[in-house]
Amino acid sequence: MSKVELSDPIALRIPVDVLGDIEKIAAVSERTRSWVIVRALRLYLASEGGQCLAILRGREEAAEGGGHDADDVLGALERIVRGKLA
């Protein structure tokens, strides 16, 4: 099993109530506070954070000339709908 490459330590202020929950979860799961916090961050990055990153990638792609013209897409959708209704 390979070890995960770690970054430099960071300082982070966490509200007391959130830290309390983290410590309870760490204790009951027999994990460290760091493990619980990293797990929570990974879950965030996979959902809401992932959406933010996808938007950023889309903006970068559009800035580089990628993507499709909105009128072309709407025209293609209209042709599809007409074909299904015919």
Side-chain angles (χ1 to χ4, degrees):
M1 183 175 189
S2 65
K3 268 201 144 174
V4 175
E5 184 178 344
L6 300 176
S7 70
D8 292 332
I10 62 168
L12 178 67
R13 292 190 183 273
I14 299 175
V16 174
D17 61 324
V18 174
L19 182 56
D21 287 344
I22 290 168
E23 288 175 339
K24 289 174 192 171
I25 293 166
V28 77
S29 64
E30 299 180 350
R31 301 285 187 165
T32 64
R33 294 187 312 180
S34 291
W35 185 92
V36 174
I37 292 168
V38 168
R39 177 108 173 139
L41 288 170
R42 287 184 191 274
L43 289 170
Y44 170 80
L45 290 171
S47 60
E48 186 178 336
Q51 292 172 5
C52 293
L53 293 173
I55 290 168
L56 177 61
R57 284 190 298 272
R59 287 179 178 168
E60 290 170 345
E61 183 182 317
E64 294 171 359
H68 301 282
D69 182 77
D71 290 333
D72 292 343
V73 172
L74 292 174
L77 288 173
E78 193 173 312
R79 287 188 295 280
I80 291 169
V81 169
R82 273 197 232 131
K84 293 196 184 235
L85 295 177

Coordinates of all heavy atoms in Angstrom, one line a residue:
M1 N 0.8 -1.2 0.0 CA 0.0 0.0 0.0 C 0.9 1.2 0.0 O 1.8 1.4 0.9 CB -0.9 0.0 1.2 CG -1.9 1.1 1.3 SD -2.9 0.7 2.8 CE -4.2 1.9 2.5
S2 N 0.7 2.1 -1.0 CA 1.6 3.3 -1.1 C 1.1 4.4 -0.1 O -0.1 4.6 0.1 CB 1.6 3.8 -2.5 OG 0.3 4.3 -2.9
K3 N 2.0 5.2 0.3 CA 1.7 6.3 1.2 C 1.3 7.5 0.4 O 1.8 7.8 -0.7 CB 2.9 6.7 2.1 CG 2.9 6.0 3.4 CD 3.7 6.8 4.4 CE 3.1 6.7 5.7 NZ 3.7 7.2 6.8
V4 N 0.3 8.3 0.9 CA -0.1 9.5 0.2 C 0.9 10.6 0.4 O 1.4 10.8 1.5 CB -1.5 10.0 0.8 CG1 -1.9 11.3 0.2 CG2 -2.5 8.9 0.6
E5 N 1.3 11.3 -0.7 CA 2.2 12.4 -0.5 C 1.6 13.5 0.2 O 0.5 13.9 -0.1 CB 2.7 12.8 -1.9 CG 3.7 13.9 -1.9 CD 4.2 14.3 -3.3 OE1 3.9 13.6 -4.3 OE2 4.8 15.4 -3.4
L6 N 2.3 14.0 1.2 CA 1.7 15.1 2.1 C 2.3 16.4 1.7 O 3.4 16.5 1.2 CB 2.0 14.8 3.5 CG 1.4 13.5 4.1 CD1 1.8 13.3 5.5 CD2 -0.1 13.5 4.0
S7 N 1.5 17.5 1.9 CA 2.0 18.8 1.6 C 2.5 19.4 2.9 O 2.6 18.8 3.9 CB 0.8 19.7 1.1 OG -0.1 19.9 2.2
D8 N 2.9 20.7 2.8 CA 3.3 21.4 4.0 C 2.1 21.5 5.0 O 1.0 21.7 4.5 CB 3.9 22.8 3.7 CG 5.2 22.7 2.9 OD1 5.9 21.7 3.1 OD2 5.4 23.6 2.1
P9 N 2.4 21.5 6.3 CA 1.3 21.7 7.2 C 0.7 23.1 7.1 O 1.4 24.1 6.6 CB 2.0 21.6 8.6 CG 3.3 21.0 8.4 CD 3.7 21.3 6.9
I10 N -0.6 23.3 7.3 CA -1.2 24.6 7.3 C -1.8 24.9 8.6 O -2.2 24.0 9.4 CB -2.3 24.7 6.2 CG1 -3.4 23.7 6.4 CG2 -1.7 24.5 4.8 CD1 -4.6 23.9 5.5
A11 N -2.0 26.2 8.9 CA -2.7 26.6 10.1 C -4.1 26.9 9.7 O -4.4 27.5 8.7 CB -2.1 27.8 10.7
L12 N -5.1 26.4 10.5 CA -6.5 26.6 10.2 C -7.3 26.8 11.4 O -7.2 26.1 12.4 CB -7.0 25.3 9.5 CG -8.4 25.2 9.1 CD1 -8.7 26.1 8.0 CD2 -8.7 23.7 8.7
R13 N -8.1 27.9 11.4 CA -9.0 28.1 12.6 C -10.3 27.5 12.3 O -10.9 27.7 11.2 CB -9.2 29.6 12.8 CG -7.9 30.3 13.2 CD -8.2 31.8 13.6 NE -7.0 32.5 14.0 CZ -6.5 32.4 15.3 NH1 -7.1 31.7 16.2 NH2 -5.4 33.1 15.5
I14 N -10.8 26.7 13.2 CA -12.0 26.0 13.0 C -12.9 26.3 14.2 O -12.5 26.4 15.3 CB -11.8 24.4 13.0 CG1 -10.9 24.0 11.9 CG2 -13.1 23.7 13.0 CD1 -10.4 22.6 11.9
P15 N -14.2 26.6 13.9 CA -15.1 27.0 15.0 C -15.1 25.8 16.0 O -15.0 24.7 15.7 CB -16.5 27.1 14.3 CG -16.1 27.4 12.9 CD -14.9 26.7 12.6
V16 N -15.3 26.2 17.3 CA -15.2 25.3 18.4 C -16.2 24.1 18.3 O -15.8 23.0 18.5 CB -15.4 26.0 19.8 CG1 -15.5 25.1 20.9 CG2 -14.3 27.0 20.0
D17 N -17.4 24.4 17.8 CA -18.4 23.4 17.7 C -18.0 22.4 16.6 O -18.2 21.2 16.8 CB -19.8 23.9 17.5 CG -19.9 24.8 16.2 OD1 -18.9 25.5 15.8 OD2 -21.0 24.7 15.5
V18 N -17.5 22.9 15.5 CA -17.0 22.0 14.4 C -15.9 21.1 14.9 O -15.8 19.9 14.6 CB -16.7 22.8 13.2 CG1 -16.1 21.9 12.1 CG2 -17.9 23.5 12.6
L19 N -14.9 21.7 15.6 CA -13.8 21.0 16.1 C -14.2 19.9 17.1 O -13.7 18.8 17.1 CB -12.7 21.9 16.7 CG -11.5 21.3 17.3 CD1 -10.8 20.5 16.2 CD2 -10.6 22.3 17.9
G20 N -15.2 20.2 17.9 CA -15.7 19.3 18.8 C -16.3 18.0 18.1 O -16.0 16.9 18.5
D21 N -17.0 18.3 17.0 CA -17.6 17.2 16.2 C -16.4 16.4 15.6 O -16.5 15.1 15.5 CB -18.5 17.7 15.2 CG -19.9 18.1 15.7 OD1 -20.2 17.8 16.9 OD2 -20.6 18.8 15.0
I22 N -15.4 17.1 15.1 CA -14.3 16.4 14.4 C -13.6 15.5 15.5 O -13.3 14.3 15.2 CB -13.3 17.4 13.9 CG1 -13.9 18.1 12.6 CG2 -11.9 16.8 13.5 CD1 -13.1 19.3 12.1
E23 N -13.4 16.0 16.7 CA -12.7 15.2 17.7 C -13.6 14.0 18.1 O -13.0 12.9 18.3 CB -12.4 16.1 18.9 CG -11.3 17.1 18.6 CD -11.0 18.0 19.7 OE1 -11.9 18.3 20.6 OE2 -9.9 18.6 19.7
K24 N -14.9 14.1 18.2 CA -15.8 13.0 18.5 C -15.7 11.9 17.4 O -15.6 10.7 17.7 CB -17.2 13.5 18.7 CG -17.4 14.3 20.0 CD -18.8 14.8 20.0 CE -19.0 15.9 21.1 NZ -20.3 16.5 21.0
I25 N -15.8 12.4 16.2 CA -15.7 11.5 15.0 C -14.4 10.7 15.0 O -14.3 9.5 14.8 CB -16.0 12.2 13.7 CG1 -17.4 12.7 13.7 CG2 -15.7 11.3 12.5 CD1 -17.7 13.7 12.6
A26 N -13.3 11.5 15.2 CA -12.0 10.9 15.3 C -11.9 9.8 16.4 O -11.3 8.7 16.1 CB -10.9 12.0 15.5
A27 N -12.4 10.1 17.5 CA -12.3 9.2 18.6 C -13.1 7.9 18.3 O -12.6 6.8 18.5 CB -12.8 9.8 19.9
V28 N -14.4 8.1 17.9 CA -15.2 6.9 17.7 C -14.7 6.1 16.5 O -14.9 4.9 16.5 CB -16.7 7.3 17.5 CG1 -17.0 7.9 16.1 CG2 -17.6 6.2 17.8
S29 N -14.1 6.7 15.5 CA -13.6 6.0 14.3 C -12.2 5.5 14.5 O -11.6 4.9 13.6 CB -13.8 6.8 13.1 OG -13.0 8.0 13.1
E30 N -11.6 5.9 15.6 CA -10.2 5.6 15.9 C -9.2 6.1 14.8 O -8.3 5.4 14.3 CB -10.0 4.1 16.1 CG -10.7 3.6 17.3 CD -10.6 2.1 17.6 OE1 -10.0 1.4 16.7 OE2 -11.0 1.6 18.7
R31 N -9.5 7.3 14.4 CA -8.7 8.0 13.4 C -8.2 9.3 14.0 O -8.6 9.7 15.1 CB -9.6 8.4 12.2 CG -10.2 7.2 11.5 CD -9.2 6.4 10.7 NE -9.8 5.4 9.9 CZ -9.2 4.8 8.9 NH1 -8.0 5.1 8.6 NH2 -9.8 3.8 8.3
T32 N -7.3 10.0 13.3 CA -6.8 11.3 13.8 C -7.7 12.4 13.3 O -8.5 12.2 12.4 CB -5.4 11.5 13.2 OG1 -5.5 11.7 11.8 CG2 -4.4 10.4 13.6
R33 N -7.6 13.5 14.0 CA -8.3 14.7 13.5 C -8.0 15.0 12.1 O -8.8 15.4 11.3 CB -8.1 15.9 14.4 CG -8.6 15.8 15.8 CD -8.5 17.0 16.6 NE -7.2 17.7 16.6 CZ -6.8 18.8 17.2 NH1 -7.7 19.3 18.0 NH2 -5.7 19.3 17.1
S34 N -6.7 14.9 11.7 CA -6.3 15.2 10.4 C -7.0 14.3 9.4 O -7.4 14.8 8.3 CB -4.8 15.1 10.2 OG -4.1 16.1 10.9
W35 N -7.1 13.0 9.7 CA -7.7 12.1 8.8 C -9.2 12.5 8.5 O -9.6 12.5 7.4 CB -7.7 10.7 9.4 CG -8.2 9.7 8.4 CD1 -7.5 8.9 7.5 CD2 -9.6 9.2 8.3 NE1 -8.3 8.1 6.8 CE2 -9.6 8.2 7.3 CE3 -10.8 9.6 8.9 CZ2 -10.8 7.6 6.9 CZ3 -11.9 9.0 8.6 CH2 -12.0 8.0 7.6
V36 N -9.9 12.9 9.6 CA -11.3 13.3 9.5 C -11.4 14.5 8.7 O -12.3 14.6 7.8 CB -11.9 13.5 10.9 CG1 -13.3 14.1 10.8 CG2 -11.9 12.2 11.7
I37 N -10.5 15.5 8.9 CA -10.6 16.8 8.2 C -10.3 16.6 6.7 O -11.0 17.1 5.8 CB -9.6 17.8 8.8 CG1 -10.2 18.2 10.2 CG2 -9.5 19.0 7.9 CD1 -9.2 19.0 11.0
V38 N -9.3 15.8 6.4 CA -8.9 15.5 5.0 C -10.1 14.8 4.3 O -10.4 15.1 3.2 CB -7.6 14.7 4.9 CG1 -7.4 14.2 3.5 CG2 -6.4 15.6 5.3
R39 N -10.7 13.8 5.0 CA -11.8 13.1 4.4 C -12.9 14.0 4.1 O -13.6 14.0 3.0 CB -12.3 12.0 5.4 CG -13.4 11.2 5.0 CD -13.1 9.9 4.6 NE -14.3 9.1 4.4 CZ -14.4 8.3 3.4 NH1 -13.5 8.1 2.6 NH2 -15.6 7.6 3.2
A40 N -13.2 14.9 5.0 CA -14.3 15.9 4.8 C -14.0 16.8 3.6 O -14.9 17.1 2.8 CB -14.5 16.7 6.1
L41 N -12.7 17.3 3.5 CA -12.3 18.1 2.4 C -12.4 17.4 1.1 O -12.9 17.9 0.1 CB -10.9 18.6 2.6 CG -10.8 19.7 3.7 CD1 -9.3 20.0 4.0 CD2 -11.5 21.0 3.3
R42 N -12.0 16.1 1.1 CA -12.1 15.3 -0.2 C -13.6 15.2 -0.6 O -13.9 15.3 -1.8 CB -11.5 13.9 0.0 CG -10.0 14.0 0.0 CD -9.5 12.6 0.1 NE -8.0 12.5 0.4 CZ -7.1 12.6 -0.5 NH1 -7.4 12.7 -1.7 NH2 -5.8 12.6 -0.1
L43 N -14.5 14.9 0.4 CA -15.9 14.8 0.0 C -16.5 16.1 -0.5 O -17.2 16.2 -1.5 CB -16.7 14.4 1.2 CG -16.5 12.9 1.6 CD1 -17.1 12.6 3.0 CD2 -17.1 12.0 0.6
Y44 N -16.0 17.3 0.1 CA -16.4 18.6 -0.4 C -15.9 18.8 -1.8 O -16.7 19.2 -2.7 CB -15.9 19.7 0.5 CG -16.1 21.1 -0.1 CD1 -17.3 21.7 -0.1 CD2 -15.1 21.7 -0.8 CE1 -17.5 22.9 -0.7 CE2 -15.2 22.9 -1.4 CZ -16.5 23.5 -1.4 OH -16.7 24.7 -2.0
L45 N -14.7 18.5 -2.1 CA -14.1 18.7 -3.4 C -14.7 17.8 -4.4 O -14.8 18.1 -5.6 CB -12.6 18.4 -3.3 CG -11.8 19.5 -2.6 CD1 -10.3 19.0 -2.4 CD2 -11.8 20.8 -3.3
A46 N -15.2 16.6 -4.0 CA -15.9 15.7 -5.0 C -17.3 16.2 -5.3 O -17.8 15.8 -6.4 CB -16.0 14.3 -4.4
S47 N -17.9 17.1 -4.5 CA -19.2 17.5 -4.8 C -19.2 19.0 -5.1 O -19.0 19.4 -6.3 CB -20.2 17.2 -3.6 OG -19.7 17.9 -2.4
E48 N -19.5 19.8 -4.2 CA -19.6 21.3 -4.4 C -18.3 21.9 -5.0 O -18.4 22.6 -6.0 CB -20.0 22.0 -3.2 CG -20.3 23.5 -3.3 CD -20.7 24.1 -2.0 OE1 -21.3 23.5 -1.1 OE2 -20.6 25.4 -1.9
G49 N -17.2 21.5 -4.4 CA -15.9 22.0 -4.9 C -15.7 21.5 -6.3 O -15.1 22.2 -7.1
G50 N -16.1 20.3 -6.6 CA -15.9 19.7 -7.9 C -16.7 20.5 -9.0 O -16.2 20.7 -10.1
Q51 N -17.9 21.0 -8.6 CA -18.7 21.8 -9.5 C -17.9 23.1 -9.8 O -17.9 23.6 -11.0 CB -20.0 22.1 -8.9 CG -20.9 20.9 -8.8 CD -22.2 21.1 -8.1 OE1 -22.5 22.2 -7.7 NE2 -23.0 20.1 -7.8
C52 N -17.3 23.7 -8.8 CA -16.6 24.9 -9.0 C -15.4 24.7 -9.9 O -15.1 25.5 -10.8 CB -16.1 25.5 -7.6 SG -17.4 26.1 -6.5
L53 N -14.7 23.6 -9.7 CA -13.6 23.3 -10.6 C -14.0 23.0 -12.0 O -13.3 23.4 -12.9 CB -12.8 22.1 -10.0 CG -12.1 22.4 -8.7 CD1 -11.5 21.1 -8.1 CD2 -11.0 23.4 -8.8
A54 N -15.1 22.4 -12.2 CA -15.7 22.1 -13.5 C -16.0 23.4 -14.2 O -15.7 23.6 -15.4 CB -16.9 21.2 -13.5
I55 N -16.6 24.4 -13.5 CA -16.9 25.7 -14.1 C -15.6 26.4 -14.5 O -15.5 26.9 -15.6 CB -17.7 26.5 -13.1 CG1 -19.1 25.9 -12.9 CG2 -17.8 28.0 -13.5 CD1 -19.9 26.5 -11.8
L56 N -14.6 26.3 -13.6 CA -13.3 26.9 -14.0 C -12.7 26.3 -15.2 O -12.3 27.0 -16.1 CB -12.4 26.8 -12.8 CG -10.9 27.3 -13.0 CD1 -11.0 28.8 -13.3 CD2 -10.1 27.0 -11.8
R57 N -12.7 25.0 -15.3 CA -12.2 24.3 -16.5 C -13.0 24.7 -17.8 O -12.4 25.0 -18.8 CB -12.2 22.8 -16.4 CG -11.2 22.3 -15.4 CD -11.1 20.7 -15.5 NE -12.3 20.1 -15.1 CZ -12.6 19.8 -13.8 NH1 -11.7 20.0 -12.8 NH2 -13.7 19.2 -13.5
G58 N -14.3 24.9 -17.6 CA -15.1 25.3 -18.8 C -14.8 26.7 -19.2 O -14.7 27.0 -20.4
R59 N -14.6 27.6 -18.2 CA -14.2 29.0 -18.6 C -12.9 29.0 -19.3 O -12.7 29.8 -20.2 CB -14.2 29.8 -17.3 CG -15.5 30.1 -16.7 CD -15.4 30.9 -15.5 NE -16.8 31.3 -15.0 CZ -17.0 31.7 -13.8 NH1 -16.0 32.0 -12.9 NH2 -18.2 32.0 -13.4
E60 N -11.9 28.2 -18.7 CA -10.6 28.2 -19.4 C -10.7 27.6 -20.8 O -10.0 28.2 -21.7 CB -9.6 27.3 -18.5 CG -9.3 28.0 -17.2 CD -8.5 27.0 -16.2 OE1 -8.5 25.8 -16.5 OE2 -8.0 27.5 -15.3
E61 N -11.5 26.6 -21.0 CA -11.6 26.0 -22.3 C -12.3 27.0 -23.3 O -11.8 27.2 -24.4 CB -12.5 24.8 -22.2 CG -12.7 24.1 -23.6 CD -13.6 22.9 -23.5 OE1 -13.5 22.1 -22.5 OE2 -14.5 22.7 -24.4
A62 N -13.3 27.8 -22.8 CA -13.9 28.8 -23.6 C -13.0 29.9 -24.0 O -12.9 30.4 -25.1 CB -15.2 29.3 -22.9
A63 N -12.1 30.3 -23.0 CA -11.2 31.4 -23.3 C -10.1 30.9 -24.3 O -9.6 31.8 -25.0 CB -10.5 31.7 -22.0
E64 N -9.9 29.6 -24.4 CA -8.9 29.1 -25.4 C -9.6 28.8 -26.7 O -9.0 28.2 -27.6 CB -8.3 27.8 -24.8 CG -7.4 28.1 -23.6 CD -6.9 26.8 -23.0 OE1 -7.3 25.7 -23.4 OE2 -6.2 27.0 -22.0
G65 N -10.9 29.2 -26.8 CA -11.6 29.0 -28.1 C -12.3 27.7 -28.2 O -12.9 27.3 -29.3
G66 N -12.4 26.9 -27.1 CA -13.1 25.6 -27.1 C -14.6 25.8 -26.9 O -15.1 27.0 -26.8
G67 N -15.3 24.8 -27.0 CA -16.8 24.8 -26.8 C -17.5 24.9 -28.1 O -16.9 24.8 -29.2
H68 N -18.8 25.2 -28.0 CA -19.7 25.3 -29.1 C -20.5 26.6 -29.1 O -20.8 27.1 -28.0 CB -20.6 24.1 -29.2 CG -19.9 22.8 -29.2 ND1 -19.4 22.3 -30.3 CD2 -19.7 21.9 -28.2 CE1 -18.8 21.1 -30.1 NE2 -19.0 20.9 -28.8
D69 N -20.8 27.1 -30.3 CA -21.6 28.3 -30.4 C -23.0 28.0 -29.9 O -23.6 27.0 -30.3 CB -21.6 28.8 -31.8 CG -22.4 30.1 -32.0 OD1 -21.9 31.1 -31.6 OD2 -23.5 30.0 -32.5
A70 N -23.6 28.9 -29.1 CA -24.9 28.7 -28.5 C -26.0 28.5 -29.6 O -26.9 27.7 -29.5 CB -25.3 29.8 -27.5
D71 N -25.9 29.3 -30.7 CA -26.9 29.3 -31.7 C -26.8 27.9 -32.5 O -27.8 27.4 -32.8 CB -26.6 30.4 -32.7 CG -27.0 31.8 -32.2 OD1 -27.9 31.8 -31.2 OD2 -26.4 32.8 -32.6
D72 N -25.6 27.4 -32.6 CA -25.4 26.1 -33.3 C -26.1 25.0 -32.4 O -26.7 24.1 -32.9 CB -24.0 25.8 -33.5 CG -23.3 26.7 -34.6 OD1 -24.1 27.3 -35.3 OD2 -22.1 26.7 -34.6
V73 N -25.8 25.1 -31.1 CA -26.4 24.1 -30.2 C -27.9 24.1 -30.2 O -28.6 23.1 -30.3 CB -25.8 24.3 -28.8 CG1 -26.5 23.4 -27.8 CG2 -24.3 24.0 -28.7
L74 N -28.5 25.3 -30.1 CA -29.9 25.5 -30.1 C -30.5 25.0 -31.4 O -31.6 24.4 -31.4 CB -30.3 26.9 -29.8 CG -30.0 27.4 -28.4 CD1 -30.3 28.9 -28.3 CD2 -30.8 26.7 -27.4
G75 N -29.8 25.3 -32.5 CA -30.3 24.8 -33.8 C -30.3 23.3 -33.9 O -31.3 22.7 -34.4
A76 N -29.3 22.7 -33.4 CA -29.2 21.2 -33.4 C -30.3 20.6 -32.5 O -31.0 19.6 -32.9 CB -27.9 20.7 -32.9
L77 N -30.6 21.2 -31.3 CA -31.6 20.8 -30.5 C -33.0 20.9 -31.1 O -33.9 20.0 -31.0 CB -31.6 21.5 -29.1 CG -30.5 21.2 -28.2 CD1 -30.5 22.1 -27.0 CD2 -30.6 19.8 -27.7
E78 N -33.2 22.0 -31.8 CA -34.5 22.2 -32.5 C -34.7 21.2 -33.6 O -35.8 20.6 -33.8 CB -34.5 23.6 -33.1 CG -35.8 24.1 -33.6 CD -35.8 25.5 -34.1 OE1 -35.3 26.4 -33.3 OE2 -36.3 25.8 -35.2
R79 N -33.6 20.8 -34.4 CA -33.7 19.8 -35.4 C -34.1 18.4 -34.8 O -34.9 17.7 -35.3 CB -32.5 19.7 -36.2 CG -32.3 20.9 -37.2 CD -31.1 20.7 -38.1 NE -29.8 20.7 -37.5 CZ -29.1 21.8 -37.0 NH1 -29.6 23.0 -37.2 NH2 -28.0 21.6 -36.5
I80 N -33.5 18.1 -33.6 CA -33.8 16.9 -32.9 C -35.2 16.8 -32.5 O -35.9 15.8 -32.7 CB -32.8 16.7 -31.7 CG1 -31.4 16.5 -32.2 CG2 -33.3 15.6 -30.8 CD1 -30.3 16.6 -31.1
V81 N -35.7 17.9 -31.9 CA -37.1 17.9 -31.4 C -38.0 17.8 -32.6 O -39.0 17.1 -32.6 CB -37.4 19.2 -30.6 CG1 -38.8 19.4 -30.4 CG2 -36.6 19.2 -29.3
R82 N -37.8 18.6 -33.7 CA -38.6 18.5 -34.9 C -38.7 17.1 -35.4 O -39.7 16.6 -35.9 CB -38.2 19.5 -35.9 CG -38.8 20.8 -35.8 CD -38.6 21.6 -37.0 NE -38.0 22.9 -36.7 CZ -37.0 23.5 -37.3 NH1 -36.5 22.9 -38.3 NH2 -36.5 24.6 -36.9
G83 N -37.5 16.4 -35.5 CA -37.4 15.1 -36.0 C -38.2 14.1 -35.2 O -38.8 13.2 -35.7
K84 N -38.3 14.3 -33.9 CA -39.0 13.4 -33.0 C -40.5 13.7 -33.0 O -41.3 12.8 -32.8 CB -38.5 13.5 -31.6 CG -37.1 13.0 -31.4 CD -36.7 12.7 -30.0 CE -35.2 12.3 -30.0 NZ -34.9 11.1 -29.4
L85 N -40.9 14.9 -33.3 CA -42.3 15.3 -33.4 C -42.9 14.9 -34.8 O -44.1 14.8 -34.9 CB -42.5 16.7 -33.1 CG -42.1 17.2 -31.7 CD1 -42.3 18.7 -31.6 CD2 -43.0 16.5 -30.7
A86 N -42.1 14.8 -35.8 CA -42.5 14.5 -37.1 C -43.0 13.1 -37.3 O -42.8 12.2 -36.6 CB -41.5 14.8 -38.2

